[in-house]
Amino acid sequence: MARNKYPEETINQILTAALNLFIQKGYEQTSIQDIINELGGLTKGAIYHHFKSKEEILEAVTSHLFKGADEMLAGVRDDNSLNGLEKLRKISRVSLDNPAQDELASVAPNLLRNPKMLAAQIENIINKAVPVYIQPIIEQGMRDGSIRTDYPRELSEVLMILTNIWLSPAVLQVSPEMLVRKLRFFDEILKGLGLDLFDEQLFQRFEELSRLSAREVSQEN
């Protein structure tokens, strides 16, 4: 059999096809054959050459999905020109302005019906995003005086879980108006903790993403 000269391209094709199917059909409802059907001339043997199982494909999809976010978070964390609070604000702006957010909202994946992908997202938040990126930023804010808390780990988890799960239209689909209410309530909680994180631009961006997701859901129905 001829050796594949472009293994990275093949892997990317597999991951892109798998991600689209996992979002559209759900992980449990997607088979290896479904992925093969999306790849044209690629054989089952070619897929198993790179991945031993569908579970391994999901792990690779998750890593691939969060790669850009990891690079962004590392860049903000290591920016010596910003204090801790400024870094958290920048993360909020850059994350929401990422074009991938529009793409995700426009396909309106219901992650409550896709527990494997939701679990992978939560695992990434708790085991990587919080300890590697967010907690070090909050601890810097404690040192430089821009963030006041005695619970850096817990505050990091609350910020990430509420932002990426409770406020995410991909997980809990609510009307744009309800999402803004939830966001303003979250803003009140954070201000009560001395953390002034959100501004009107962020409120508008959340509402925009919610409207994209709501429009996609209404078209499907």
Side-chain angles (χ1 to χ4, degrees), residues 105-156:
S106 67
V107 298
N110 188 334
L111 293 183
L112 287 180
R113 298 176 184 172
N114 209 339
K116 280 281 189 178
M117 289 195 70
L118 180 58
Q121 180 175 341
I122 295 172
E123 184 177 16
N124 183 273
I125 288 170
I126 297 299
N127 294 337
K128 189 171 185 180
V130 165
V132 177
Y133 305 114
I134 306 303
Q135 186 174 342
I137 289 174
I138 289 179
E139 289 172 346
Q140 178 199 331
M142 293 168 65
R143 293 191 298 270
D144 63 37
S146 63
I147 297 174
R148 300 190 307 274
T149 184
D150 294 324
Y151 304 97
R153 172 75 189 203
E154 292 76 11
L155 179 56
S156 302

Side-chain angles (χ1 to χ4, degrees), residues 127-185:
N127 294 337
K128 189 171 185 180
V130 165
V132 177
Y133 305 114
I134 306 303
Q135 186 174 342
I137 289 174
I138 289 179
E139 289 172 346
Q140 178 199 331
M142 293 168 65
R143 293 191 298 270
D144 63 37
S146 63
I147 297 174
R148 300 190 307 274
T149 184
D150 294 324
Y151 304 97
R153 172 75 189 203
E154 292 76 11
L155 179 56
S156 302
E157 290 185 358
V158 165
L159 282 173
M160 293 299 289
I161 291 295
L162 291 186
T163 301
N164 291 281
I165 305 298
W166 188 60
L167 291 173
S168 173
V171 181
L172 298 173
Q173 294 174 349
V174 297
S175 70
E177 294 75 20
M178 180 59 70
L179 181 63
V180 171
R181 283 182 58 85
K182 291 169 69 173
L183 186 60
R184 292 193 182 280
F185 173 69

Side-chain angles (χ1 to χ4, degrees), residues 14-215:
I14 294 170
L15 296 183
T16 299
L19 174 60
N20 290 336
L21 287 167
F22 291 164
I23 288 174
Q24 294 167 11
K25 298 183 61 174
Y27 172 82
E28 299 292 350
Q29 289 71 39
T30 298
S31 67
I32 292 291
Q33 188 60 50
D34 290 330
I35 298 173
I36 292 170
N37 294 342
E38 291 292 312
L39 293 170
L42 205 63
T43 66
K44 184 176 290 190
I47 288 184
Y48 282 116
H49 175 73
H50 297 288
F51 302 102
K52 296 177 182 177
S53 63
K54 191 173 71 167
E55 183 77 28
E56 194 170 291
I57 292 176
L58 176 63
E59 292 174 5
V61 162
T62 303
S63 298
H64 185 70
L65 191 60
F66 289 108
K67 181 180 178 182
D70 290 342
E71 292 171 353
M72 180 276 292
L73 289 170
V76 175
R77 179 198 60 195
D78 299 335
D79 187 346
N80 295 325
S81 68
L82 303 175
N83 65 31
L85 180 56
E86 289 169 339
K87 288 181 178 182
L88 285 183
R89 287 172 175 165
K90 184 173 181 179
I91 283 173
S92 299
R93 289 196 307 271
V94 174
S95 296
L96 288 176
D97 287 340
N98 187 337
Q101 292 284 359
D102 294 89
E103 183 179 350
L104 192 62
S106 67
V107 298
N110 188 334
L111 293 183
L112 287 180
R113 298 176 184 172
N114 209 339
K116 280 281 189 178
M117 289 195 70
L118 180 58
Q121 180 175 341
I122 295 172
E123 184 177 16
N124 183 273
I125 288 170
I126 297 299
N127 294 337
K128 189 171 185 180
V130 165
V132 177
Y133 305 114
I134 306 303
Q135 186 174 342
I137 289 174
I138 289 179
E139 289 172 346
Q140 178 199 331
M142 293 168 65
R143 293 191 298 270
D144 63 37
S146 63
I147 297 174
R148 300 190 307 274
T149 184
D150 294 324
Y151 304 97
R153 172 75 189 203
E154 292 76 11
L155 179 56
S156 302
E157 290 185 358
V158 165
L159 282 173
M160 293 299 289
I161 291 295
L162 291 186
T163 301
N164 291 281
I165 305 298
W166 188 60
L167 291 173
S168 173
V171 181
L172 298 173
Q173 294 174 349
V174 297
S175 70
E177 294 75 20
M178 180 59 70
L179 181 63
V180 171
R181 283 182 58 85
K182 291 169 69 173
L183 186 60
R184 292 193 182 280
F185 173 69
F186 186 33
D187 185 45
E188 282 191 15
I189 293 175
L190 294 180
K191 284 178 177 174
L193 297 173
L195 196 61
D196 190 1
L197 188 59
F198 300 123
D199 58 21
E200 285 302 319
Q201 185 177 356
L202 282 174
F203 288 131
Q204 292 171 8
R205 179 60 174 150
F206 263 103
E207 186 175 7
E208 178 184 339
L209 291 173
S210 180
R211 290 191 185 283
L212 273 174
S213 180
R215 184 163 62 244

